[in-house]
Amino acid sequence: MGTHVIKMPDIGEGIAEVELSQWHVKVGDLVVEDQVLADVMTDKAMVDIPSPVHGKVIALGGQPGEVMAVGSVLISIEVEGAGNLKESAAPAPVKEAPAAPKVEAVVESKPAPAAQRPAAVCQGPMAAREADERPLASPAVRKHALDLGIQLRLVRGSGPAGRVLHEDLEAYLAQGQSNASAPAAAAYAQRNDEEQIQVIGMRRKIAQRMQDATQRAAHFSYVEEIDVTAIEELRAHLNEKHGASRGKLTLLPFLVRALVVALRDFPQMNARYDDEAQVITRLGAVHVGVATQSDVGLMVPVVRHAEARSLWDSATEISRLANAARNGKASRDELSGSTITLTSLGALGGIVSTPVLNLPEVAIVGVNKIVERPMVVKGQVVIRKMMNLSSSFDHRVVDGMDAALFIQAIRGLIEQPATLFVE
């Protein structure tokens, strides 16, 4: 038998070190070629590291959350053959993703020798776990389980790599195995349990970026109320007429169009500020970052050249990028290069928010929820659909008056939607 040492690969872009985010194997596991061994986190995305060989894991080179240098030992695998020590960098990453890996328990690209092949591959739900074993699950699923009084380690996960999904919780309840069937008094029982969650991987990157943005930029926010009745009527009309053939429109592509038109008069908002070099770069291209929530946190995929896109083109691209981010398939290029960001919590948008800048950008436009309210129009009280834009700016670069005029310009375009298309 021999030992195959896999070193941390050079992922490119001049990166000298990466964070080890998650192991998908443990010492003693049998692995096959192309099976995902670990996730590592760069400044921009999560990357899967596959195995170049068949064999048995005999040593792991680090712990989740550890920052490892390119070229350092990642994992050692016992392989059949001569007793020579073999070293290699891991093969080129097979997937770039901002979210947790969406892979099966074993990915096999060619048959392995019988002596090296695992005895069986579990394709079904995982069995109940040990008391100290942390199951794979998104934050939303963990919160749902907590609300239901379910211990996640007792739930069989049907997702990739045994990940627990919302439907697994429902199935567990249906089997009558949860605490939900306990007497109502149990809801008032004292609880002393604690859970420590290590801030690693994508959550660490998000925390670092948010902290960096709030420390470096001089944030100020501006909130404006907008009457969206007319544009909602236009959207409904276009969806009724063209929805079946071109796809349904949400409000977002209209807002992207409003940004594009308003930026013609306010180019200082479509900019990046290099505060170390003290240089502001204004860009002609409008690359709109669309903040998107995923299981591992907030991602910002980029709609490139929004200035050259129609409503339906923007809508299609927004949908494609959002799905890619949520499913862990967005590439590093799709998650970088924005010039201004649009953020929305949809129906949960609240009344007012104070979004954090996506550095090095200098402006972010936040969308709050639409509500029907009585408004006075031409001396008459009428019901109108109203929405707030809660936007933030970098006061080092953007003056308050310019920010207010910029948002007022967007307001005018939205309230008179025909002006979005008048050249």
Side-chain angles (χ1 to χ4, degrees), residues 169-202:
L169 299 180
E170 301 302 329
Y172 185 86
L173 285 176
Q175 294 171 3
Q177 296 176 339
S178 75
N179 293 332
S181 60
Y188 297 91
Q190 290 187 358
R191 294 186 59 171
N192 298 297
D193 54 303
E194 297 179 356
E195 182 182 12
Q196 293 186 338
I197 301 173
Q198 191 176 7
V199 181
I200 61 174
M202 184 58 71

Side-chain angles (χ1 to χ4, degrees), residues 326-368:
R326 294 190 186 106
N327 295 331
K329 296 181 180 179
S331 68
R332 281 177 286 178
D333 288 341
E334 291 172 328
L335 294 169
S336 61
S338 56
T339 59
I340 189 170
T341 293
L342 184 63
T343 179
S344 170
L345 289 175
L348 300 176
I351 299 173
V352 174
S353 56
T354 54
V356 176
L357 288 166
N358 184 23
L359 293 184
E361 297 165 27
V362 301
I364 181 170
V365 177
V367 182
N368 297 116

